[in-house]
């Protein structure tokens, strides 16, 4: 089979899984009206499948900052941070992130994906070990592959399995980077950070926590799981993204280890790409201020999350292990998931469809993401629609 | 600690992999794990975790890229098990 024939075979398998109708992957959004509504096809659709957790995508302060940055600094930097793309805004945002996390330093990356790729591949290399949760995001897997280190998975959130694998490593545990996430994107559950910190200390390993989905969502000031559990000083490296609660695009790594700065000189995903645009940086700086002072937004977000999670559970849907902004409905097979996804869209609700192998344990997911801008009426409408569809799906 | 040689590992793998084969198919050391057995990437990862528990080893994901046949997998397990002693 030649290269193109292999792609044809993959395309045929994909079409067999999703035979008809509007494609669940890459659905065309014609117009975006607000953090909760868009035009898909000819209809006004309620958005319940975005990562806009605090609902800040239309915040007037962020839009104004972005406009101003374009007028003053242009549309793009046209260069890497290591060359001509190192503007005062990039450096200011790094200082603001470091101050927010009360860390020594921060590196800003062009995307959240690159933040993990660049941090992981800069920290570990051939002969080292990446010990990662089995449900880790693709950016973590890809960062580990790029690093050349040995990649060992432990069962999702299973501390006995993590300890077993650390024990098996022997002395190599000291050259091991344990990688976990604050909130896992598939099931919306949180890592048991206190137990993980105990294990990493016992075995002399290093810990990287990806707060991509927990930034803005957990902790008093929205730092994430480390702040919520009061364990920030025990985590060696924290990565995150601008593309969820901060409604931009970009990523970061913060740390108290002075060695973080060395990553600027060895990390290809940092060096060999253009730096974020001035508008992105300006909007993100304002969004970070809103996030820090966003306790009311977090309160509303959690109220919405609790309402949807409790309702789905009460109706009889199998949901993730704990409530949170990511509310996953777990289905036994892709046909059920596709039927539910289609049923919701026919009722003007957009959610995410996740099929094997992307979903854990061979299951399929219909994943809802609530945000602080959803009204009580919108969440109630979603609950009633899930109830209405239940008999025809399960 | 399970003391084991390469033949024992091969024997165990052939028995364990029978559930992924059709009824008349014989599993041999040369059997291709992906093209000759009904085993997708998720099933393979679950099988690897099962084998890791059985042999009390961790198999790096990157080491699996060179594994094509049952013999390759047995050889990898044997090598990791031997190195861990």
């Amino acid at each position: 089979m030649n290269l193109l024939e292999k792609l044809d075979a993959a395309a045929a398998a994909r079409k067999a899984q999703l035979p008809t109708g509007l494609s669940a992957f890459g659905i065309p959004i014609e117009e975006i009206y607000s953090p909760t509504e868009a035009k898909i096809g000819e209809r006004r659709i309620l958005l319940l499948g975005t990562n806009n957790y605090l609902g800040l995508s239309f915040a007037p302060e962020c839009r104004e900052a972005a406009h101003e940055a374009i007028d003053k600094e242009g549309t793009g930097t046209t260069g890497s941070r290591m060359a001509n793309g190192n503007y005062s805004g990039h450096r200011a945002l790094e200082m603001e992130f470091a101050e927010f996390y009360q860390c020594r330093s921060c590196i800003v990356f062009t995307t959240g994906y690159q933040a993990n790729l660049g941090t992981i591949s800069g920290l570990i290399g051939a002969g080292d070990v990446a010990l990662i949760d089995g449900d880790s995001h693709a950016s973590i897997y890809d960062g580990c592959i790029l690093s050349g280190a040995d990649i060992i998975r432990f069962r999702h959130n299973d501390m006995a399995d993590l300890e077993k694998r650390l024990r098996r490593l022997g002395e190599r545990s000291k050259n091991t980077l344990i990688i976990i996430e604050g909130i896992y994107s598939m099931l919306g559950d949180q890592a048991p950070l206190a137990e993980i910190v105990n294990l990493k200390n016992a075995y002399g390993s290093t810990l990287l926590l990806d707060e991509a989905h927990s930034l803005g969502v957990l902790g008093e000031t929205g730092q994430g799981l480390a702040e919520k559990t009061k364990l920030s000083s025990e985590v060696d490296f924290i990565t995150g993204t601008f593309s969820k609660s901060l409604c931009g695009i970009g990523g970061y790594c913060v740390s108290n280890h002075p060695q973080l700065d060395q990553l600027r000189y060895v990390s290809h995903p940092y060096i060999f790409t253009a730096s974020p645009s001035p508008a992105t940086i300006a909007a993100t700086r304002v969004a970070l201020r809103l996030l820090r002072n966003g306790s009311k937004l977090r309160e509303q977000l959690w109220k919405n999350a609790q309402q949807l999670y409790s309702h789905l559970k009460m109706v009889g849907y199998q949901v993730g292990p704990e409530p949170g902004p990511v509310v996953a409905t777990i289905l036994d097979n892709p046909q059920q998931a596709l039927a539910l996804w289609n049923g919701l869209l026919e009722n003007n609700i957009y959610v995410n469809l996740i099929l094997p192998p992307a979903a854990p344990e061979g299951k399929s997911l219909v994943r809802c993401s609530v945000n602080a801008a959803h009204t009580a009426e919108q969440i109630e409408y979603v609950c009633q629609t899930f109830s209405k569809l239940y008999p025809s799906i399960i | 600690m399970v003391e084991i040689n390469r033949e024992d590992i091969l024997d165990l793998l052939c028995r364990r992999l029978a559930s992924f084969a059709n009824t008349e198919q014989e599993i041999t050391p040369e059997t291709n794990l992906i093209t000759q057995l009904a085993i997708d990437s998720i099933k393979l990862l679950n099988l690897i975790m099962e084998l890791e528990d059985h042999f009390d080893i961790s198999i790096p994901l990157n080491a699996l890229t060179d594994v094509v046949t049952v013999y390759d997998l047995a050889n990898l397990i044997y090598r990791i098990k031997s190195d861990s002693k």
Side-chain angles (χ1 to χ4, degrees):
Chain A
M1 198 185 286
N2 69 30
L3 296 180
L4 297 180
E5 285 166 349
K6 277 196 266 186
L7 287 173
D8 285 341
R14 176 173 55 81
K15 282 174 188 157
Q17 204 171 33
L18 291 169
T20 54
L22 200 52
S23 173
F25 305 120
I27 193 165
I29 291 179
E30 306 301 340
E31 288 180 56
I32 183 94
Y33 300 125
S34 74
T36 63
E37 289 186 311
K39 182 180 176 186
I40 295 177
E42 290 303 317
R43 290 179 294 145
R44 197 175 185 96
I45 301 289
L46 172 55
L47 296 173
L48 201 78
T50 75
N51 301 307
N52 189 2
Y53 297 125
L54 298 181
L56 293 176
S57 56
F58 280 77
E61 305 94 317
C62 300
R63 289 154 58 189
E64 194 182 327
H67 287 146
E68 199 179 315
I70 288 176
D71 291 342
K72 279 187 179 168
E73 299 181 75
T75 52
T77 68
T78 75
S80 161
R81 290 291 301 281
M82 297 301 277
N84 61 299
N86 187 22
Y87 291 11
S88 63
H90 299 99
R91 301 193 305 275
L93 180 57
E94 286 178 342
M95 286 171 68
E96 285 156 11
F97 261 109
E99 192 271 324
F100 177 45
Y101 278 100
Q102 296 170 333
C103 275
R104 185 184 176 280
S105 52
C106 168
I107 298 181
V108 159
F109 293 83
T110 303
T111 68
Y113 176 84
Q114 284 166 290
N116 274 338
L117 227 62
T119 303
I120 295 167
S121 64
L123 287 173
I124 52 177
D128 299 326
V129 178
L131 189 46
I132 67 175
D133 187 285
D135 279 8
S136 290
H137 187 260
S139 59
I140 293 174
Y141 278 93
D142 291 353
C144 294
I145 292 168
L146 185 63
S147 77
D150 282 344
I151 308 162
I152 294 173
R153 296 161 81 233
F154 62 93
R155 290 180 173 88
H156 175 56
N157 275 352
D158 184 333
M159 293 303 97
D161 200 46
L162 173 59
E163 171 148 40
K164 199 162 53 183
R165 289 167 194 281
L166 282 165
R167 172 181 55 74
R168 286 173 188 158
L169 285 167
E171 277 300 301
R172 290 187 82 199
S173 68
K174 293 179 177 57
N175 275 56
T176 294
L177 182 66
I178 301 170
I179 308 175
I180 55 166
E181 297 181 34
I183 291 180
Y184 286 90
S185 59
M186 289 293 117
L187 299 178
D189 50 345
Q190 299 168 29
L193 187 58
E195 293 168 74
I196 293 168
V197 161
N198 285 341
L199 287 172
K200 86 111 188 172
N201 287 335
Y203 285 89
S205 305
T206 303
L207 178 61
L208 186 153
L209 167 62
D210 179 358
E211 300 270 27
H213 285 270
S214 34
L215 173 70
V217 170
L218 298 176
E220 197 181 336
T221 65
Q223 284 177 27
L225 181 65
E227 184 187 31
K228 179 195 162 192
T229 52
K230 299 184 169 44
L231 290 166
S232 300
S233 62
E234 298 284 348
V235 179
D236 296 287
F237 297 90
I238 290 177
T239 57
T241 181
F242 306 165
S243 61
K244 297 180 171 49
S245 286
L246 292 169
C247 298
I249 183 164
Y252 62 92
C253 176
V254 292
S255 177
N256 273 321
H257 293 297
Q259 292 86 350
L260 176 67
D261 291 332
Q262 180 59 19
L263 261 57
R264 294 186 198 274
Y265 303 92
V266 298
S267 171
H268 284 200
Y270 174 79
I271 301 167
F272 295 101
T273 192
S275 61
S277 73
T280 292
I281 293 294
T284 302
R285 291 180 65 188
V286 177
L288 183 59
R289 288 203 288 276
L290 298 176
L291 180 152
R292 292 177 75 155
N293 299 316
S295 55
K296 286 205 170 72
L297 294 173
R298 274 184 283 286
E299 204 176 297
Q300 186 60 46
L301 167 67
W302 277 94
K303 192 176 163 193
N304 289 343
Q306 283 284 1
Q307 187 184 345
L308 180 60
Y309 181 87
S310 308
H311 184 85
L312 295 188
K313 203 169 178 182
M314 188 259 295
V315 171
Y317 285 102
Q318 190 189 345
V319 289
E322 61 183 307
V326 176
V327 182
T329 309
I330 304 164
L331 289 312
D332 288 334
N333 58 63
Q335 292 73 28
Q336 276 183 326
L338 187 58
L340 180 56
W341 184 86
N342 271 322
L344 289 165
L345 194 61
E346 281 163 16
N347 284 277
N348 303 321
I349 298 167
Y350 168 76
V351 296
N352 301 130
L353 176 69
I354 299 158
L355 303 178
E361 301 295 325
K363 301 280 186 176
S364 298
L365 303 178
V366 165
R367 185 180 65 179
C368 308
S369 299
V370 299
N371 73 46
H374 284 125
T375 63
E377 292 73 26
Q378 286 176 323
I379 299 291
E380 181 57 25
Y381 174 70
V382 171
C383 289
Q384 293 315 315
T385 308
F386 266 98
S387 294
K388 187 173 77 179
L389 293 171
Y390 183 81
S392 62
I393 303 294
I394 308 295
Chain B
M1 180 78 69
V2 183
E3 285 294 335
I4 206 139
N5 59 43
R6 202 180 267 111
E7 286 64 40
D8 291 336
I9 298 171
L10 263 176
D11 186 50
L12 182 140
L13 282 181
C14 289
R15 281 187 279 117
R16 178 62 190 85
L17 289 167
S19 62
F20 299 106
N22 54 44
T23 45
E24 64 273 18
Q25 189 177 5
E26 188 193 354
I27 310 281
T28 70
E30 289 73 38
T31 301
N32 185 305
L33 290 167
I34 304 300
T35 60
Q36 291 180 270
L37 297 174
I39 185 162
D40 60 26
S41 57
I42 293 172
K43 285 179 187 160
L44 180 62
L45 287 177
N46 287 338
L47 172 67
I48 292 297
M49 285 207 159
E50 191 185 313
L51 295 169
E52 288 177 323
D53 282 345
H54 181 86
F55 293 108
D56 194 27
I57 56 171
S58 292
I59 302 174
L61 289 184
N62 36 325
L64 290 171
T65 53
D66 294 331
V67 171
V68 177
T69 64
V70 176
Y71 180 83
D72 294 336
L73 183 55
N75 201 35
L76 176 64
I77 291 170
Y78 179 74
R79 191 160 46 79
I80 294 172
K81 187 72 191 164
S82 303
D83 289 347
S84 70
K85 279 179 188 168

